[in-house]
């Protein structure tokens, strides 16, 4: 976006006006959850969190793809990394996510495993092309934002005849996770700020159940201070008027029907399946697995990996943070045993994790 246009979404005077209108609109406490790691960082980095009225309670939900990757899935990464003839290709933020006994891909690499950091799925495909005697397995994590790119890379591999490229598909779908959060009898979420990047792919229709089934309001919004404050004002108005609505306030980027081409590519390669989420457990139809016609790319099937639930990391309350049950600073390990330099859980590993944001911006 052009810088001059972007500035209007950071205008201090407009932010002050929106904050004043938000204070006037509030009718009791508003507990809102954002479900996007970029929103997490934006709210902290912009200083908005410290400016919000005390009645507005910010919850950071399961919007960080590294954070929601389940312990059992991390153990599968480590299992693969120990196989002969296998090169694991991964995004860098997965390297330090802890698995069994505190091991991670970085420690596996130091012990001799062939783990390569790549910046995109096509980079992993190039790695497979350059190493025909090995099997290159790309770790497919992330939401609807990254799954189409992975699917497109699978199509490229088939077209180019690169048979040694495989994917361990642990992608997650956001709407089923939102339904799980709203069905949690122990939680209370008054409103959602929905993920902008995911919404650019799926559009707004998949979120309709939030209002119709659960009577909760939600907005799709951008990442600038004005975007976020306009959304909070809208959500506060809905709460005061006793109505539930899902509204797209990010029309400069997000179309109501999303990106049909991206979804077509994703749905050509993958189909919905049950998936494990850190903190949320197994959620039906919340993940993606390979369709039969592309099963030859499925690393889970090829290597006979078993993904079973395992206990959470000892002492780590990352799962409770992702559900909005506690703040990061309410975890007993926060800033003591768990820091960005020595993370115990993934919410402190990822730059999009709420624990890392709390630590970096010194939220008290």
């Amino acid at each position: 976006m052009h810088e001059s246009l972007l500035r209007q979404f950071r205008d201090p005077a407009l932010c002050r006006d929106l904050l004043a209108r938000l204070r006037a609109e509030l009718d009791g406490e508003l507990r809102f959850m954002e479900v996007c790691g970029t929103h997490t960082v934006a709210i902290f980095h912009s200083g908005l969190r410290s400016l919000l009225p005390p009645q507005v309670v910010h919850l950071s939900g399961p919007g960080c793809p590294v954070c929601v990757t389940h312990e059992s899935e991390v153990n599968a990464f480590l299992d693969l990394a120990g196989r002969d003839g296998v090169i694991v290709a991964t995004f860098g933020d997965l390297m330090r996510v802890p698995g069994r006994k505190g091991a991670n891909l970085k420690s596996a690499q130091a012990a001799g495993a062939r783990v390569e950091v790549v910046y995109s799925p096509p980079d992993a495909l190039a790695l497979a092309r350059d190493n025909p005697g090995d099997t290159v397995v790309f770790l497919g994590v992330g939401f609807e934002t990254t799954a189409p790119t992975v699917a497109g890379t699978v199509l490229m591999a088939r077209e180019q005849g690169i048979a040694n490229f495989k994917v361990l598909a642990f992608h997650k779908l956001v709407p089923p996770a939102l339904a799980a959060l709203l069905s949690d009898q122990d939680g209370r979420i008054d409103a959602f700020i929905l993920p902008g990047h995911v919404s650019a792919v799926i559009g707004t229709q998949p979120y309709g159940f939030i209002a119709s089934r659960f009577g909760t309001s939600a907005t799709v919004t951008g990442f600038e201070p004005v975007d976020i404050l306009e959304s909070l004002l809208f959500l506060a108005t809905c709460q005061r008027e006793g109505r539930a609505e899902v509204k797209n306030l990010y029309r400069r980027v997000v179309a109501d029907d999303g990106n049909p081409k991206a979804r077509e590519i994703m749905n050509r390669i993958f189909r919905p399946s049950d998936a494990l989420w850190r903190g949320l457990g197994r959620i039906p139809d919340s993940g993606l697995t390979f369709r039969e016609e592309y099963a030859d790319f499925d690393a889970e099937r090829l290597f006979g990996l078993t993904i079973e639930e395992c206990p959470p990391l000892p002492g780590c309350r990352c799962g409770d943070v992702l559900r909005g049950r506690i703040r990061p600073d309410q975890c007993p390990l926060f800033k003591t045993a768990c820091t960005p330099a020595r993370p115990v859980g993934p919410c402190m590993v990822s730059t999009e994790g709420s624990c890392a944001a709390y630590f970096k911006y010194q939220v008290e």
Side-chain angles (χ1 to χ4, degrees):
M1 181 177 295
H2 194 276
E3 183 63 27
S4 62
L5 182 60
L6 194 58
R7 276 199 292 271
Q8 68 179 305
F9 295 100
R10 301 172 179 171
D11 182 66
L14 182 52
C15 288
R16 286 193 293 269
D17 175 65
L18 287 167
L19 276 166
R21 291 167 61 191
L22 176 61
R23 293 188 187 96
E25 193 67 25
L26 286 167
D27 182 22
E29 187 178 70
L30 175 66
R31 294 171 61 85
F32 82 95
M33 175 179 280
E34 39 80 6
V35 195
C36 175
T38 308
H39 276 132
T40 303
V41 174
I43 290 171
F44 284 109
H45 181 261
S46 65
L48 276 183
R49 197 177 189 284
S50 62
L51 298 174
L52 293 175
Q55 305 100 300
V56 177
V57 179
H58 170 210
L59 306 173
S60 190
C64 160
V66 171
C67 303
V68 300
T69 300
H70 196 269
E71 293 92 339
S72 300
E73 296 173 335
V74 178
N75 290 338
F77 301 162
L78 296 171
D79 185 0
L80 268 180
R83 304 287 183 103
D84 292 335
V86 172
I87 301 175
V88 172
T90 178
F91 294 136
D93 50 5
L94 282 178
M95 291 292 288
R96 296 198 303 147
V97 178
R100 65 174 76 90
K101 298 181 180 180
N104 55 33
L105 288 172
K106 193 172 184 65
S107 63
Q109 184 187 53
R114 301 173 71 187
V115 181
E116 297 286 343
V117 173
V118 295
Y119 295 96
S120 70
D123 288 346
L125 183 60
L127 189 65
R129 185 187 303 113
D130 295 340
N131 293 270
D134 298 301
T135 300
V136 173
V137 179
F138 177 72
L139 304 183
V141 302
F143 303 119
E144 293 94 335
T145 318
T146 56
T149 306
V150 176
T153 306
V154 168
L155 289 175
M156 291 169 57
R158 175 158 288 183
E159 290 168 2
Q160 297 173 21
I162 304 177
N164 63 323
F165 173 77
K166 311 297 177 184
V167 176
L168 186 56
F170 288 150
H171 299 97
K172 307 286 194 292
L173 302 176
V174 169
L178 302 183
L181 287 167
L182 289 168
S183 300
D184 184 359
Q185 298 301 312
D186 295 327
R188 178 193 149 196
I189 301 168
D190 297 323
F192 282 110
I193 286 182
L194 300 166
H197 299 139
V198 166
S199 301
V201 174
I202 69 173
T204 57
Q205 187 277 331
Y207 302 122
F209 73 91
I210 296 174
S212 62
R213 177 180 166 193
F214 292 101
T216 300
S217 291
T219 63
V220 176
T221 194
F223 305 97
E224 301 300 331
V226 169
D227 291 320
I228 296 164
L229 288 171
E230 285 181 338
S231 285
L232 291 175
L233 179 59
F234 172 79
L235 296 172
T237 300
C238 287
Q239 186 184 59
R240 181 180 60 78
E241 296 178 352
R243 61 186 171 91
E245 185 178 344
V246 177
K247 189 168 184 178
N248 181 6
L249 296 177
Y250 198 26
R251 292 190 178 277
R252 66 183 187 272
V253 172
V254 175
D256 286 340
D257 65 344
N259 187 327
K261 181 62 176 178
R263 293 198 305 276
E264 187 275 326
I265 293 172
M266 178 176 69
N267 293 332
R268 191 189 314 176
I269 306 302
F270 299 115
R271 61 173 177 80
S273 62
D274 297 352
L276 286 168
W277 293 62
R278 189 181 299 267
L280 297 174
R282 190 178 297 276
I283 303 177
D285 292 332
S286 66
L288 293 173
T289 192
F290 279 95
R291 294 187 181 276
E292 280 301 317
E293 53 267 44
Y294 292 95
D296 52 319
F297 290 96
D298 186 354
E300 183 178 347
R301 184 181 302 193
L302 174 66
F303 291 98
L305 300 174
T306 302
I307 314 301
E308 296 179 347
E309 291 193 52
C310 62
L313 300 166
C316 176
R317 298 196 63 187
C318 188
D320 290 328
V321 171
L322 294 170
R323 296 177 78 105
R325 290 181 173 178
I326 66 168
R327 300 188 312 269
D329 60 343
Q330 292 174 316
C331 174
L333 304 185
F334 181 73
K335 277 191 177 182
T336 54
C338 186
T339 66
R342 297 176 61 87
V344 174
C347 294
M348 189 65 87
V349 172
S350 174
T351 56
E352 293 187 341
S354 52
C355 293
Y358 260 71
F359 188 98
K360 181 175 181 179
Y361 297 104
Q362 299 296 307
V363 175
E364 301 295 342

